[in-house]
Amino acid sequence: MALTKETSAALVSKFGAKENDTGNTKVQIALLSERVNQLTAHVQRFPKDTGAKRSMLKIVGQRRKLLKYLERSDLEVYRALIKELNLRK
């Protein structure tokens, strides 16, 4: 199941500087995190769906690359985003 327009708009307005700020790194990480959460629930419910598992791993890799970039460029924003999205335990 893909992200709904309402969910993605809410994430963009929460993490972006403006309402149309979809290119912001924080917004992209938040959108990818929401998608990973949805795919995790799907894979737990349907463990034999290897296509969903593969796509989830690809999205996790994309998110990891963006998080590395954000950590290099702005450490304080990175730490705040990690805490807000509950990515590290």
Side-chain angles (χ1 to χ4, degrees), residues 60-70 72:
V60 167
Q62 288 175 347
R63 183 180 68 180
R64 185 174 60 229
K65 288 177 189 176
L66 287 170
L67 282 169
K68 277 182 160 179
Y69 166 75
L70 190 62
R72 281 193 320 264

